Amino acid sequence: MASDFQRRKVAGVFDAMDANERGFLVAGDFEALTRRWTVLRSVEPGSSQYTDLEAIMMGWWGSLSSAAEDGERVTLDDVMRVVDLLPTMLDAVEKTADAMFDAIDENADGSISRAEYRQLIEAWNGRPTDTDTTFPLLDLDGDGHISRAEFRRHWTDFWAGDDPDAPGTWVFGHFEQSTVE
């Protein structure tokens, strides 16, 4: 069972996606995320890059909605049931991290720059966001970029980890963690 800390950090991501504050996610939330990504990247519908980005974002919906009690609305509890399984599915977590890395690495240079990271966070939460304090936490070697290995570690720490001091806690940016009761 997920800890209170895990629930709080996942709730922050959940709340960012639940822009209408309904208390649940629907396919439209993931479609909106796809639109934000493709608009940010000026990717045209029908292009291979659009198809790839759409597959990543809507793939999350498919996984979460299949775990939801009604399949149409995904609650935080539904997400947490999936999170509970992730420590036993680290290969899948790393594959998702690699797919996300490829989506974020706009210029395909094998690293995520400050600007690319900021785009990720702004696409995720749908609003301008200051990432200047978060990025250095994720750039473990201080080279000004997040490598694939660093990102994979952070993604895994976030989704399958339970350490509040792990830099991966902030892979989705610095946000107020919801207080979940």
Side-chain angles (χ1 to χ4, degrees):
M1 181 171 195
S3 71
D4 288 339
F5 168 70
Q6 286 172 306
R7 188 172 180 89
R8 283 192 314 273
K9 70 180 175 178
V10 171
V13 173
F14 183 92
D15 290 346
M17 289 199 63
D18 182 17
N20 296 332
E21 298 180 7
R22 296 173 299 233
F24 58 85
L25 303 175
V26 296
D29 293 313
F30 291 82
E31 292 162 356
L33 179 59
T34 300
R35 280 191 302 279
R36 288 193 300 267
W37 263 108
T38 56
V39 167
L40 266 175
R41 295 292 170 79
S42 301
V43 176
E44 295 296 322
S47 70
S48 63
Q49 190 177 16
Y50 184 96
T51 302
D52 291 347
L53 287 170
E54 183 179 44
I56 292 166
M57 303 308 161
M58 295 312 293
W60 291 342
W61 169 250
S63 296
L64 292 173
S65 65
S66 68
E69 288 183 10
D70 73 2
E72 297 293 320
R73 294 185 280 183
V74 174
T75 66
L76 180 58
D77 288 338
D78 296 327
V79 174
M80 295 313 299
R81 278 193 293 280
V82 173
V83 168
D84 283 343
L85 300 173
L86 295 180
T88 66
M89 303 168 53
L90 294 179
D91 285 346
V93 173
E94 287 186 0
K95 285 180 184 175
T96 304
D98 286 341
M100 253 333 273
F101 183 91
D102 292 339
I104 300 165
D105 184 14
E106 181 177 24
N107 63 2
D109 68 352
S111 65
I112 297 171
S113 68
R114 283 180 178 269
E116 289 168 331
Y117 176 71
R118 185 179 192 130
Q119 278 187 334
L120 159 72
I121 301 308
E122 290 181 351
W124 195 265
N125 64 30
R127 65 183 184 281
T129 307
D130 180 6
T131 58
D132 291 343
T133 57
T134 308
F135 187 85
L137 299 172
L138 303 173
D139 179 14
L140 298 177
D141 61 10
D143 69 352
H145 294 86
I146 301 170
S147 69
R148 183 178 296 273
E150 287 170 326
F151 187 79
R152 190 182 293 146
R153 175 179 168 187
H154 299 321
W155 190 264
T156 303
D157 282 348
F158 184 89
W159 289 110
D162 193 22
D163 180 359
D165 296 323
T169 296
W170 306 110
V171 76
F172 286 98
H174 186 63
F175 52 85
E176 289 298 318
Q177 295 181 19
S178 298
T179 305
V180 178
E181 298 184 24

